[in-house]
Amino acid sequence: MNMNDYKKVTDRLEISERCREEVLNMSKRTRKIKHKINKKVFISIAAAAVVAFGSTAAIAAKQYGVFEKLKANKEKTTVLEDGREIPNLDMKYDNDNYGNIAEHAQPADEAVKEETIKLSGLQVDVESVYCDGRNLVIGITGSLTDGNPDGVSYIGLGTELIIDGVKYTSDLKYGDCIRFDSLLLLDEGAENDFTGSIKVTFKDHNKLTKATTANIKLYNTVGLEEWYDHDSIDRLENPLELSVDIIPDTSLTEETDISVSDNGFKAKIYEITPDSIIIGTDYPTGYGTIETYCVDENGEKIPFIPMYSQPDYGDGMHTFICSNTNPSEITVIWISKNGDGIIHEYTFELSE
């Protein structure tokens, strides 16, 4: 993931304490739209997995482990010399909810071309796969075949997926997805054990609806100083080649049609999955520059998931994709950047 490309998307307004108090106390003036959600989208199926796989506890542990490690890496912080504590910069823009993903992921069935391991300098195993049709998250672990003598903490991967004849890569000239990220981060306290993921968010016409196979090429870019994440993948050589079966669970995706409109302010929830929530907004002219964001029932900001582009439903709404933080309420807030504070808000109640 090229962090610089996403700054304009993710560098949103931070909520001031005054605005937070306004949000928490606005129930008297906020219209609340109630919507009964699909239980399967939010409730763990861990118990069902135990029944389905019987005594395969090792598989379940492996399946959960890769995403638990990613969650732990995401929560790591660094203490600066002046005592300030900052988030893990390697995952600053990684806003996926790995807890939800783990609950709905499936054990992986992979096949690796063994002869490509030595050439690529990579040893990678696919541990688990999550796919709701819109989002594909492949959990991977790996190591460098030379033992990581330089002590790198991050393996940049040039990555290519071919699914049903369509190529998906981090190279923006291949435009059939709105997100493509791949990375491997060094595990806490390890010397050469890495955990990471390959993430794809598909456009509407390419959403996965049936079982298929992803053919994957992973290029090791360690030591390639001139490489950057959105560089042309076509110039890289000697990939690790593997394939993995994908079984989309489209029942995890709830397409909704809940919307509100008042005096030109509009908000709509289009789609809810365990990983993400797609929201559209619009506002009337005459208010100057307006920032739009969402908070949950506690006034906590719901983070955006960075995308190259946003879904277009053809209705003129400005769409964005938020992380599914399991909110019971989503409040869409329009705030003036000219110093006038909150000028409008709507609250959607999500009940089971």
Side-chain angles (χ1 to χ4, degrees), residues 53 58-67 102-107 127-128:
F53 295 111
I59 293 177
K62 207 172 186 183
Q63 175 182 340
Y64 275 75
V66 65
F67 294 117
E103 290 175 4
H104 299 283
Q106 303 169 5
E127 306 288 359
S128 186

Side-chain angles (χ1 to χ4, degrees), residues 209-341:
T209 58
K210 60 183 181 180
T212 186
T213 299
N215 294 303
I216 306 172
K217 292 182 179 180
L218 299 175
Y219 298 85
N220 179 7
T221 63
V222 172
L224 187 60
E225 295 180 359
E226 295 181 356
W227 169 262
Y228 57 95
D229 290 345
H230 292 163
D231 201 347
S232 175
I233 197 169
D234 297 328
R235 73 181 183 91
L236 297 177
E237 299 178 344
N238 300 322
L240 173 68
E241 297 184 42
L242 62 152
S243 62
V244 62
D245 291 337
I246 299 170
I247 305 176
D249 186 353
T250 56
S251 69
L252 296 175
T253 299
E254 181 186 8
E255 295 182 354
T256 77
D257 192 27
I258 51 175
S259 60
V260 289
S261 178
D262 180 38
N263 294 322
F265 289 91
K266 301 176 183 178
K268 184 174 183 178
I269 297 179
Y270 295 93
E271 186 177 286
I272 302 173
T273 76
D275 185 41
S276 61
I277 302 173
I278 301 179
I279 299 173
T281 65
D282 199 6
Y283 59 88
T285 59
Y287 285 92
T289 304
I290 289 180
E291 187 78 30
T292 306
Y293 59 87
C294 299
V295 298
D296 63 16
E297 63 276 9
N298 298 314
E300 296 295 329
K301 189 174 180 181
I302 300 175
F304 295 95
I305 296 180
M307 301 283 167
Y308 301 151
S309 60
Q310 302 296 331
D312 185 358
Y313 291 91
D315 55 6
M317 300 280 272
H318 305 286
T319 60
F320 50 88
I321 300 181
C322 288
S323 174
N324 185 348
T325 57
N326 304 324
S328 61
E329 292 184 357
I330 297 176
T331 298
V332 181
I333 298 174
W334 290 264
I335 185 169
S336 171
K337 295 187 72 173
N338 300 326
D340 297 328

Side-chain angles (χ1 to χ4, degrees), residues 26-217:
M26 68 190 174
S27 58
K28 293 182 180 180
R29 69 178 190 273
T30 302
R31 175 192 283 184
K32 293 190 176 183
I33 307 299
K34 294 186 178 181
H35 176 66
K36 188 171 183 178
I37 62 169
N38 177 357
K39 269 190 174 182
K40 190 172 183 182
V41 174
F42 289 88
I43 296 180
S44 168
I45 59 170
V50 171
V51 173
F53 295 111
S55 62
T56 55
I59 293 177
K62 207 172 186 183
Q63 175 182 340
Y64 275 75
V66 65
F67 294 117
E68 285 301 316
K69 284 183 181 179
L70 285 172
K71 182 180 178 182
N73 279 333
K74 182 178 175 180
E75 293 173 351
K76 282 195 304 187
T77 58
T78 300
V79 179
L80 302 179
E81 290 183 359
D82 60 6
R84 286 183 299 133
E85 194 171 342
I86 61 173
N88 183 355
L89 295 180
D90 287 330
M91 300 186 76
K92 180 179 179 181
Y93 299 105
D94 188 339
N95 291 325
D96 291 85
N97 187 330
Y98 289 112
N100 283 359
I101 290 172
E103 290 175 4
H104 299 283
Q106 303 169 5
D109 186 8
E110 65 170 330
V112 179
K113 288 188 177 181
E114 297 293 334
E115 65 272 18
T116 66
I117 294 176
K118 184 176 181 180
L119 289 173
S120 68
L122 290 171
Q123 174 73 59
V124 172
D125 293 310
V126 178
E127 306 288 359
S128 186
V129 178
Y130 165 91
C131 185
D132 57 40
R134 166 78 70 182
N135 303 289
L136 170 65
V137 184
I138 301 174
I140 57 177
T141 58
S143 60
L144 293 168
T145 58
D146 63 2
N148 192 19
D150 296 327
V152 300
S153 61
Y154 177 99
I155 300 178
L157 295 173
T159 307
E160 171 187 300
L161 268 69
I162 296 181
I163 304 173
D164 298 330
V166 180
K167 180 187 288 189
Y168 304 95
T169 82
S170 55
D171 190 338
L172 295 180
K173 72 180 179 181
Y174 299 102
D176 285 302
C177 59
I178 58 178
R179 172 175 68 156
F180 192 105
D181 299 335
S182 58
L183 80 164
L184 279 168
L185 292 174
L186 189 67
D187 293 344
E188 185 75 29
E191 295 182 358
N192 191 30
D193 295 315
F194 294 80
T195 301
S197 65
I198 302 168
K199 294 185 286 193
V200 185
T201 299
F202 300 99
K203 292 184 176 180
D204 279 352
H205 68 279
N206 277 341
K207 289 169 72 172
L208 302 183
T209 58
K210 60 183 181 180
T212 186
T213 299
N215 294 303
I216 306 172
K217 292 182 179 180

